[in-house]
Amino acid sequence: AQKVTQAQTEISVVEKEDVTLDCVYETRDTTYYLFWYKQPPSGELVFLIRRNSFDEQNEISGRYSWNFQKSTSSFNFTITASQVVDSAVYFCALSEAKAAGNKLTFGGGTRVLVKP
Amino acid sequence: KAGVTQTPRYLIKTRGQQVTLSCSPISGHRSVSWYQQTPGQGLQFLFEYFSETQRNKGNFPGRFSGRQFSNSRSEMNVSTLELGDSALYLCASSSSRTSGGRDTQYFGPGTRLTVL
């Protein structure tokens, strides 16, 4: 069965510092998809990024970047030059190609607090 | 495009009652998934509907049920409420025309259910 682990429960930084969130996953499927979502205090999960298992190229999108390493089953996410508005809970999630339909398995989340 | 909408946003019920939550997906999206979020169990997949058919189901008791209408709107029903059903219920939609978890899910603001 699939599993997602976010070992960091809470990270506190001062504005403008970089923040890296760790995510380790387990799956038996050879094709899968990885996601990062942000949940601000309002409660809605906001989609941030998505990665396919067959594409290990790491990218940067604005202040967000991610490091996908299939060899270590990790999908880490970095916020560069953090801002107070980045304060939220961040979830890493996995879906498998062999699954019927869409089913996301989430990690436990990492609470990020950015102090001014 | 309007996002995923959920009604009601807040609900208070007593043990033994039943409740119905509603979700309207993004226009054109045919897949609707439901998730339960609690402090203890985190985010857990309930079920997914596509073209009025349940396509995938999580590990929840039969008290949790759902349906989808021809306009893709979905409802979730919980019968014989228990204290442990208190949670944030999130609905997500995707354009998914095929199975296989490749589609990004977009979430609504959630319905916060409190069972007294």
Side-chain angles (χ1 to χ4, degrees):
Chain A
Q2 64 270 35
K3 184 179 178 181
V4 177
T5 302
Q6 295 178 251
Q8 306 150 308
T9 54
E10 186 165 325
I11 298 175
S12 182
V13 297
V14 176
E15 209 169 16
K16 297 184 183 176
E17 287 184 340
D18 296 348
V19 181
T20 295
L21 309 179
D22 298 334
C23 173
V24 175
Y25 61 90
E26 295 176 29
T27 177
R28 292 180 182 176
D29 210 342
T30 55
T31 301
Y32 49 89
Y33 308 89
L34 296 163
F35 303 82
W36 277 98
Y37 285 88
K38 170 184 177 180
Q39 188 175 42
S42 61
E44 181 173 346
L45 278 171
V46 179
F47 165 72
L48 295 176
I49 59 172
R50 161 204 162 118
R51 204 84 206 129
N52 306 330
S53 59
F54 43 86
D55 182 1
E56 290 193 64
Q57 183 177 356
N58 294 311
E59 294 184 19
I60 296 174
S61 175
R63 295 188 299 110
Y64 299 152
S65 62
W66 47 97
N67 187 344
F68 174 40
Q69 292 194 351
K70 215 167 178 177
S71 60
T72 56
S73 297
S74 66
F75 183 49
N76 298 337
F77 175 70
T78 297
I79 305 171
T80 303
S82 62
Q83 301 174 1
V84 173
V85 292
D86 295 327
S87 296
V89 181
Y90 290 80
F91 291 94
C92 179
L94 163 76
S95 67
E96 297 176 322
K98 286 183 181 173
N102 292 301
K103 173 189 172 183
L104 285 170
T105 298
F106 285 91
T110 299
R111 182 177 300 278
V112 173
L113 177 60
V114 181
K115 300 175 183 176
Chain B
K1 248 186 189 177
V4 178
T5 58
Q6 292 187 245
T7 57
R9 292 293 311 279
Y10 302 91
L11 208 48
I12 299 176
K13 291 286 187 179
T14 56
R15 277 182 301 175
Q17 286 187 310
Q18 76 165 20
V19 68
T20 299
L21 312 182
S22 181
C23 172
S24 292
I26 293 170
S27 177
H29 284 190
R30 294 168 62 188
S31 165
V32 174
S33 299
W34 290 89
Y35 294 82
Q36 180 196 65
Q37 185 177 24
T38 60
Q41 299 299 316
L43 276 158
Q44 293 185 289
F45 173 77
L46 279 155
F47 32 65
E48 182 210 6
Y49 285 86
F50 179 76
S51 291
E52 302 178 63
T53 301
Q54 188 179 87
R55 190 159 67 172
N56 203 346
K57 189 177 187 303
N59 297 321
F60 279 82
R63 299 185 298 107
F64 292 82
S65 63
R67 60 177 175 169
Q68 186 179 34
F69 302 95
S70 58
N71 61 358
S72 295
R73 189 177 71 85
S74 176
E75 287 182 347
M76 189 191 95
N77 185 274
V78 187
S79 62
T80 319
L81 284 166
E82 300 177 0
L83 294 179
D85 296 333
S86 293
L88 179 66
Y89 290 89
L90 291 161
C91 164
S93 78
S94 71
S95 60
S96 177
R97 286 176 174 78
T98 61
S99 295
R102 63 177 62 86
D103 296 296
T104 298
Q105 294 185 48
Y106 297 92
F107 285 79
T111 293
R112 187 164 295 281
L113 172 65
T114 302
V115 182
L116 303 176

